[in-house]
Amino acid sequence: MFDLTGKVALVTGGNGGIGLGMARALAQAGATVVLAGRDAAKSEAAVQALVAEGLRADAIEADVSDEAQVGRLFNTVEQRHGALHVLVNNAGITVRKQVQDLSLGEWHQVMDANLTGAFLCCRAAHPLLRRQGGKVINVGSMMSLFGAPYAAAYGASKGGIVQFTRAIATGWAPDLIQCNAILPGWIDTALTRGAREQVPGLNERVLARTPAARWGRPQDLGGIAVFLASAASDFVTGTAIPVDGGYSIA
Ligand code: NDP
């Protein structure tokens, strides 16, 4: 039910952090994983690490906010691997500023990477996914649910991810494509390490508010990724599932 042998899974931002945690779990379940990111050296290092673990992995350089690069990305996936079964839209960035301090350029930068990138990748993936049916996993955030003063653009993009997921889940159900969102809690990655350095007391506040009383690790997202990529979730679509150590219910 959870076996992904013979499946091809593309993970945007799969060369580090949460994306690599999910890619590793998908590959351990049998998939060939394709990591897409802007930093070719980082992607190559991630591929080498996965291959050294006996897993099947490939990297393709792409900026998900660039329409032409996204087109090339999916053409390359088809040329090299012949099919696509799973798309994980995980690439994301943040600019930690209150809305009154945010430039239009910064707003676009965040929206383009986090929300427009998911749109462009989904649109380009659809012809491949509909051939045999497939899975889309979009990465939202606790900011899909809650507000925070420093996360105007980020929260808008992550709230948008949930509604976007619902739209494609309804539209693509007849194509046997299930689309779901994962909402990670506070996970220890490069993204949040920056925030921890910038924001005094953040570490303590996260630990106090999270019932599991710890930060998440990238591998904590592995199980849900395998579930949502596999036949085990064939009747699950349009959901937004928190993976947060209980943060969102406390
Ligand atoms: P990281 O900064 O570790 O990873 C982000 C990844 O996204 C990198 O691999 C980066 O690769 C890639 N990326 C960024 N912009 C682009 C782009 N335009 N095109 C292609 N790839 C891009 O962060 P996390 O692992 O923490 O974050 C992963 C996702 O999880 C994000 O969507 C984030 O918003 C979300 N998230 C994270 C949480 C956390 O606590 N860490 C909590 C909730 C959600 P490269 O540099 O090579 O482009």
Side-chain angles (χ1 to χ4, degrees):
M1 194 182 266
F2 297 96
D3 184 17
L4 297 179
T5 305
K7 307 287 186 194
V8 177
L10 172 66
V11 183
T12 70
N15 58 13
I18 290 174
L20 183 54
M22 291 192 290
R24 177 174 278 111
L26 295 171
Q28 286 168 344
T32 296
V33 292
V34 182
L35 314 180
R38 297 163 302 177
D39 184 335
K42 200 167 120 194
S43 297
E44 199 39 54
V47 166
Q48 279 177 18
L50 295 176
V51 169
E53 294 165 28
L55 303 171
R56 276 183 291 273
D58 182 19
I60 300 171
E61 194 178 334
D63 181 335
V64 297
S65 64
D66 182 306
E67 188 176 15
Q69 291 190 37
V70 170
R72 281 198 294 276
L73 168 65
F74 285 87
N75 287 339
T76 309
V77 169
E78 189 180 13
Q79 279 160 18
R80 288 192 195 165
H81 301 284
L84 180 71
H85 305 89
V86 180
L87 168 64
V88 183
N89 285 306
N90 161 80
I93 57 167
T94 189
V95 174
R96 295 180 58 82
K97 283 186 182 175
Q98 293 226 23
V99 68
Q100 64 272 27
D101 302 322
L102 203 63
S103 71
L104 180 59
E106 290 166 332
W107 170 269
H108 281 308
Q109 210 187 331
V110 174
M111 296 300 281
D112 288 354
N114 298 4
L115 186 55
T116 308
F119 155 65
L120 290 173
C121 287
C122 280
R123 195 180 60 175
H126 185 242
L128 294 172
L129 293 175
R130 72 185 298 201
R131 278 187 200 158
Q132 71 282 308
K135 307 281 187 175
V136 175
I137 302 170
N138 293 327
V139 177
S141 160
M142 288 296 102
M143 295 302 141
S144 302
L145 305 172
F146 302 119
Y150 54 82
Y154 185 79
S157 73
K158 294 299 187 177
I161 277 287
V162 171
Q163 287 306 100
F164 176 69
T165 302
R166 291 176 177 151
I168 56 174
T170 56
W172 293 357
D175 297 328
L176 303 181
I177 303 168
Q178 290 82 45
C179 309
N180 292 283
I182 298 173
L183 312 182
W186 289 90
I187 314 297
D188 183 14
T189 67
L191 190 92
T192 47
R193 248 166 264 145
R196 255 197 269 191
E197 280 158 21
Q198 266 179 34
V199 184
L202 177 67
N203 182 46
E204 293 68 29
R205 284 207 304 280
V206 167
L207 292 176
R209 162 99 191 250
T210 305
R214 67 169 174 86
W215 285 68
R217 297 179 276 265
Q219 58 267 36
D220 287 319
L221 284 302
I224 192 83
V226 171
F227 171 64
L228 292 177
S230 69
S233 62
D234 277 354
F235 202 52
V236 180
T237 200
T239 66
I241 304 177
V243 181
D244 62 353
Y247 183 91
S248 59
I249 50 88

